[in-house]
Amino acid sequence: MFRFLHTADIHLDSPLRGLERYEGAPVDELRGATREALRNLVNTAISEGVNFLLIAGDLYDGDWKDYQTGLFFAKEMSKLREAGIRVYIVFGNHDAASQITKKLGNIPSNVHHFSNRKPKTEIIEDLGVAIHGQSFSKRIVTENIAIAYPEAWTGYFNIGLIHTSFTGREGHEPYAPCTMDDLLSKNYDYWALGHVHKREVLHEDPWIIFPGNIQGRHIKEPGPKGCTLVTVRDEGSVVMEHRDLDVLRWELCEVDGSGSQSPEEIIERARFEIRKRVDGNDARPLALRVFISGRCKAHNELTANQERWANEIRAASTDESGGRVWIEKIKINTKSPIDLQKMAERKDPFGSLLRFIREIDLSLAHLGEPSDDVVQIMKFLDGDFVKLKAKLPSDIFQEDELPDFQNPETLRHMLEDVKQMLVSQLLSKGDPR
Amino acid sequence: MRILSLDLKAFGPFTETSIDLSGGLEGLHIIYGLNEAGKSSALRGIEALFYGIDHQTRDSFLHENRNLRISGSIRYSDNSELAFVRRKGNINTLLDPNERPIADSVLQRYLGSVSREVFSTMFGINHETLTKGGMQLVAGGGNLSESLFAAGTGITDLRSISRGLQNEAEGIFKPRGSTQSINILINRHKNAKKISNELSLSSREWESHEKALNEAGAKREKVSKRLGVLRSDKGRLERLKEALPIITEKKEVSARLEVLKCVPLLDPSFPDERRSTVRELDNATCEADKACEDLNLIKEHIKGLSVPMRIIFNAKVITEIHKRLGSHLKAQQDLPRLKGEWEALKTDAKKILAELRPDLILEDAERLRLTEMKRVMILDLGGRYQALQDGLTLALETLDELEVEHTKAKEDLGRLETPLDISGLRSTLRRMQKYGDLEEELRTASSRLESEEKQAYVNLRVLPFWTGTLEGLEALPVPSPETIDNFSLRFNELNRQVEDISKRIKENTNEEANLDKQIKALKIAGSVPTEQDLIRERQRREHGWHLVCRAWLENEDVEEESKVFSTETPLKEAYEKSVNRADDLADRLRREAKRVEKLAQLLASREKCLEKTQALKSEHSRLLCEHGNLEEEWGECWSKVGIKPRSPKEMASWLRKQEQLVSKAAIIRERSGDVVRIEKLVREHNEDLMRHLGRLEREWLVSNESLNSNLDRCQTLIDEVEEIARRRKDIEKTIMDLEKRRSAAIRKKTKAQSGLDEWNESWGKAVVELGLSIEITPNQANAFVTKTREFLEKIDSGDKLKNRIEGIRCDAEQFKTEVKGLLEEVAPDLLEIGAFEASEELNARLIRARADNATLEQLRKQQREKDDVFLKANAIIKKMTDKLNGMHYKAGCSHPNDIEEIEQKSAERWTLENHIKQLESQLQRISHCGGLTTDEIIFEAEGLNPDELSVRIEDLHHTIEEEQDLLSDLDNTIGGEERELRTMNASVGAAEAAEEAQGILSTILTYSEHYMRLRMASAILNQEMERYRRANQDPILRRAGRIFSELTSGSFSGLRQSYDDRDNPILLGVRPKGEDVRVYGMSDGTCDQLYLSLRLASLEKHIEETEPMPFIVDDILINFDNDRAKAALRVLGKLSKRTQIIFFTHHRHLIELAEANIDAGDFYTHNLQ
């Protein structure tokens, strides 16, 4: 019997994204989360007594140049060397782009990385294991490299180690694509895949697995993250289990504000929802994106003083979780208790305003010829956005952080918020009582 | 839609208050209420009726939340009607008139899609929004789109909302700003990135340090190898240098040792040992001699001693017998006394027995002996007897006493009467007590009423102009203080004007007199020719000339006319005269020009003065006439009152007095109400009491007594009845108690009796066993037992004495036999004397024999010791002699005298050999350190020059020092590089800084999204305002212009649009003469009216297009003067033909204004009181 760990997409030292810093946020606890997750990986390997570790690419983050990161990796790998655990790596698109990968001079002797020229086979004679793998030679590899992988070695447990987008996965570049048949045709016993950050079992017998990344880095990578522990019994059966390694977990937290009379009531509901998530996560720090929705009286005050109520929710979450929750973002999607649909039908200035907003919306959806008024507004907004864009740091445009306010869909989405904001402001301040 | 009725069933201060709003085409309903009358509640009531009662309402102070109810009925423009009720709650708050829930949608149809917020904003206006609206107009500089939109929606804060959006966005980002949130964050992000880059380690840097470390390590290894070789060379030479002197010395010592080679090598301790052997031999010889002498002496002493051994052997028996001798002698002495005592006891016993049981002899005494059990039992029984007897007696006595008490208590109970049921009376009384002292209250109220009435009467009597009653006074339709003030003002104004005119007339007359005086003075100084004089003279001359011409040229007869021309002289002369006179006058005028001018001036002034006086007088009479009119008006104002008024000031004071009296009248009414209420209470209370007493069949209460005394009596009655009840209860309790105690006493008596019976039986059994009669008392039995005990003690003592006497005799016999036996064995010579004496003698002999025997033993011990000493000394002598002989042999000494010399030489050999050993070991140490044997080092040292050696060592030393320095430099380099690499070892700083940058980026993102939202909101709002203006400006401005003109009483003729410096359309007021006025040129009040005009015009336009909603107006005319208020009411009156207007006010005069200015059918007044 032998066991091994299959992991991928470590993206060592790549920063967590979308976490605004605020008073009470667990900044210190979550410093260097990807390093912490790697430590967890090493500890798991040692405590589970595995024989070897597979890393299916994207060990580093592409444009990250700090050699300290490489040194950290080397340090952790030397712990595995002391424990007699071998490490096999294929480099992924990020590693191929990384400066650190090119200078892997001081990597301990137990770490083996595969050539980027053609698929090679590494044999572990004492276990009867053959590992086939090929690294990325450049950042963008569009050809199917799986095809060239060698046939299975008879009498050995054959593992294919490959960085691939498989048949294509949303949100991931279509690198080194391949098909299920490509992989199955090799008659391997286990395919260790990397590149896609979401855990996914593509096939059983033989197992074809994306283990996902070991630490979620933004809200689009929610849920538990970690590696796959594989046990191969003497009679040849293969058992697969997931092991969580993440130190911070990303989750969505939806708060139904329907019918609440005051923002304080909403805060209480948010507090309750946050509590639920904290309790369900065995004290692991959380990064939560809070969505508040529902038609309620509190809407006016919430939208009028968004910053204040966002701070209240943050404070409540700090309080409720003992400082273990980081509120990533608070999206207020509540609706005014007023029926805006009906209001839009009225022949008064309020109705006219709402009809105008509808007209803008229709133009944005390309459902009508934009009127001069609409064109004027679009021009105005375009000018504002161009000025803003010119000043913002370029990083904000990478990874699609900043919505494109020249895109009609983005504007339509924003228009709904603006409508709610305008109505609540006009009607709450106009109240003569 | 309009409201037909509003019923505030239970809301705010209202209970079942109904307001009928059905009057009129749509109707202008003025709802009047003083402060605190609930005007605001009624206002909120309308909104609550339509949209529900607020969750946290202010209107539940009188009625509980769940009881709050407002109902109403409304009518849609298609004449359908809906009557419904609103309650407070979360669901089903809309009910039909029978309080069954109805769906909200039913009401929705009537409300159109007007939400609560829109209703209160668009269809409501109050004083605050009015002034705010006016102010916003000014603040916006009359911006037309903003003004129209604000008036169209009713939002007064529109400007601050639109500015707010703009300002917030500008606070977040400005392209060229530095203090805006995003601008600040951009800098912070830049810094964090910079730090991350700085902390970031390039792989080249790492490699260079690693290379330097490896090089230094290799170098260090080489140097340290070289250093090793040098150090070993230096060590070898140093060792040789050390070994050389030792080798030389060793050679010398070996030569000296060669000489002593044949001397035996004695142990270094040999001489001492030999000397001590000789000493020991001498000592042993002396000791042997002395022991021999002592032994001879001891042997002689032993011969002189003899000891009787038989006595010694029986020493124990002899001593024993001697000891017993003393006690035998004492017993022999006591014997006669003991015999006497025994006899006495026997006699006493006999005596006692004779008393107790004369039938028995002394030998039967044992029959009297009782066991201890029996004795105790008898004593015990005797003791219990008295207690049992006492118990029985006590029980009987108690029983008797209880019987007597019980009978007495029963009698007492029989004597008490049955209590009455007074619970009703008591509760009535308690209820009445809650009212306090009603009669006192009545007295106070009456006396207060009386004093108020008296006061009012006196005040009424002294009130002038009024002789009627107080009620009449109250009902008088007196004019309001404002009217009087108004009159007062007008009177004052008129009087002031009259006075002013009179004063000016007087001043003018004075001036006139003054002028006359001057003219007169001028004339007194000589007549002053005037222009008029000259003109007159010239006319006369012309007339004369005319006459002359007619007579001369036309021969007319001008006789008659000439006479008229001059009566005295003929025409010719007269004409001549007149020519001269005219010339003279002209000359004088020229000559006296100054005086002429002065006079002319004075005359002109006087003329003007006269004219002015005339004008003033006519003004004066006009004012008087006006005064007359005013007085008439003033009189008329009071005509309804039926009083001829004095001056307004006096009348104002009268009015104050009258008001005081009126309010006094209200107080009197209230007071008399109090008195009646209290009187009624007293009467009712008395009746209640009567009713209760009637039921109790008590008839002594007389109803005309005072309530308090009746109450007292009732209280006394209650007290009495309660007292009786209490006493009955006490006695009943006592009886029960007595019965309980009686049964307890009977139980005790029975128990005592049975105890006594048991005792009698036991007692009989016990005394019969003693041989006594049953009748014997316990005391007698006790005496018998005691005496018996005494008798038996005597018998026992006698028996003891008898035994003792017999013992003494036996002992004496025994002693004598034993002494005799002993004497026969050890001293037959003493058999002849008595046993006691012989015993004494034997003892003396034993003491002597023991002393002799001890001396002999001592001597024998000394003899043995001396024998020992002698033998040991001889053994030592032999041993030492042998040893000495052996030593001499070992030293090879033929004669004892040579021994000392041999010892000396041997010692010298020892020393030399040791020295050699020492040197060898030194050499060995040195050679072994260098890894050589001694011989090798000696071999190497052969032929070495010691001086050369030192130089070579010194050279090597320097070379080593140099190499060591080099090594230490290399160590430093290695340490430095290692340190450097350690600091680079996997530190996380750069990653953390990047994480911080990422955090900042997130904040920027949030701000950016918010910024764009704000910009969009701002753009849409501005654009919509502009759109609204374009679509609505013409009709609204036209209509608003007309309203504005009416509201400003024609001060403005209308409104029009213009543009400001930035080409923004703005609003202008137009004066009747066409002059434009911008809003900031208008007064506050005018701005309010402008805003109202725009609101009303927008509303009119709105109801043209869609179902109207009631327009709620809350006291907006506070700051309007009467003319403008009148105009506003007229405008509202007109508007009310198209939409219902509900006008709340607490100003009475507005109603009066409405009454005076609007047709009676166009408005409806509702009073909230």
Side-chain angles (χ1 to χ4, degrees), chain B residues 229-339:
Chain B
V229 174
L230 289 171
R231 280 195 182 124
S232 90
D233 276 4
K234 187 181 168 222
R236 192 174 57 84
L237 293 180
E238 275 173 343
R239 271 192 300 279
L240 284 172
K241 193 183 169 193
E242 203 181 343
L244 270 178
I246 297 168
I247 291 167
T248 315
E249 194 178 351
K250 192 187 160 220
K251 272 182 192 160
E252 281 173 17
V253 174
S254 297
R256 277 168 60 198
L257 197 60
E258 196 62 43
V259 182
L260 293 173
K261 220 174 175 178
C262 33
V263 176
L265 196 62
L266 293 176
D267 202 74
S269 62
F270 186 88
D272 286 345
E273 204 182 328
R274 183 184 57 80
R275 274 191 290 276
S276 88
T277 311
V278 172
R279 222 167 22 244
E280 255 179 74
L281 184 62
D282 291 351
N283 285 349
T285 314
C286 284
E287 213 167 293
D289 292 350
K290 173 112 191 334
C292 203
E293 268 171 47
D294 287 351
L295 274 173
N296 290 338
L297 270 175
I298 290 165
K299 276 172 190 163
E300 270 170 42
H301 266 223
I302 290 171
K303 265 181 204 160
L305 280 174
S306 115
V307 179
M309 284 322 282
R310 275 213 191 134
I311 289 180
I312 295 289
F313 292 149
N314 287 296
K316 203 178 166 192
V317 180
I318 294 167
T319 315
E320 176 67 26
I321 285 182
H322 187 248
K323 262 188 207 159
R324 275 161 61 189
L325 180 65
S327 60
H328 280 298
L329 290 176
K330 173 118 187 350
Q332 290 303 318
Q333 271 170 12
D334 285 351
L335 202 55
R337 187 181 47 83
L338 292 172
K339 279 181 180 160

Side-chain angles (χ1 to χ4, degrees), chain B residues 459-460 462-464 470 473 650-664:
Chain B
N459 289 353
L460 191 65
V462 296
L463 182 75
L470 193 55
L473 187 65
E650 279 173 277
M651 290 323 282
S653 138
W654 184 86
L655 196 65
R656 269 195 301 282
K657 282 181 192 154
Q658 185 259 354
E659 271 172 6
Q660 277 169 7
L661 271 166
V662 168
S663 59
K664 185 71 94 185

Side-chain angles (χ1 to χ4, degrees), chain B residues 9-65:
Chain B
K9 290 184 161 180
F11 188 76
F14 301 109
T15 311
E16 299 296 343
T17 304
S18 188
I19 303 172
D20 177 11
L21 299 171
S22 61
L25 207 52
E26 291 294 325
L28 166 58
H29 294 271
I30 303 180
I31 299 182
Y32 166 72
L34 288 172
N35 285 329
E36 305 289 323
K39 191 166 66 78
S40 314
S41 286
L43 219 155
R44 281 195 295 275
I46 295 176
E47 201 180 305
L49 176 69
F50 289 162
Y51 298 103
I53 299 168
D54 264 349
H55 192 60
Q56 286 176 322
T57 180
R58 280 181 281 170
D59 295 301
S60 58
F61 53 89
L62 184 62
H63 305 282
E64 279 179 53
N65 273 332

Side-chain angles (χ1 to χ4, degrees), chain B residues 372-416:
Chain B
E372 185 63 14
M373 278 282 273
K374 215 162 244 175
R375 195 180 63 79
V376 169
M377 192 184 85
I378 288 167
L379 285 179
D380 192 29
L381 276 173
R384 270 161 60 198
Y385 174 71
Q386 196 53 49
L388 285 167
Q389 196 69 42
D390 289 353
L392 184 60
T393 319
L394 185 67
L396 287 170
E397 277 169 11
T398 313
L399 204 55
D400 282 352
E401 276 167 25
L402 288 174
E403 280 299 346
V404 173
E405 275 178 43
H406 186 255
T407 318
K408 189 169 166 284
K410 279 266 181 191
E411 280 168 9
D412 285 351
L413 188 63
R415 274 200 296 277
L416 282 177

Side-chain angles (χ1 to χ4, degrees), chain A residues 20 35 67-68 71 352 384, chain B residues 201 984 986 992 1006 1015 1024:
Chain A
E20 276 186 58
R35 284 197 181 196
Y67 199 60
Q68 307 273 22
L71 293 176
S352 167
D384 277 341
Chain B
L201 168 70
M984 292 175 184
E992 281 176 1
T1006 307
R1015 295 301 286 169
E1024 173 56 25

Side-chain angles (χ1 to χ4, degrees), chain B residues 130 1042-1053 1070-1072 1081-1093 1096 1116-1133 1143 1149-1150 1153-1154 1157-1158:
Chain B
L130 180 73
R1042 278 201 296 279
I1043 298 174
F1044 187 48
S1045 166
E1046 196 167 351
L1047 286 182
T1048 55
S1049 308
S1051 176
F1052 285 88
S1053 63
V1070 186
R1071 292 283 189 198
M1082 294 178 190
S1083 71
D1084 289 352
T1086 308
C1087 284
D1088 293 357
Q1089 282 132 24
L1090 175 56
Y1091 176 69
L1092 182 60
S1093 311
L1096 295 179
I1116 56 168
L1117 304 180
I1118 304 172
N1119 287 348
F1120 283 40
D1121 65 24
N1122 275 354
D1123 285 345
R1124 295 192 177 195
K1126 257 187 256 171
L1129 285 169
R1130 263 201 307 275
V1131 170
L1132 290 175
F1143 187 108
H1149 79 272
L1150 286 175
L1153 272 180
N1157 294 285
I1158 306 178

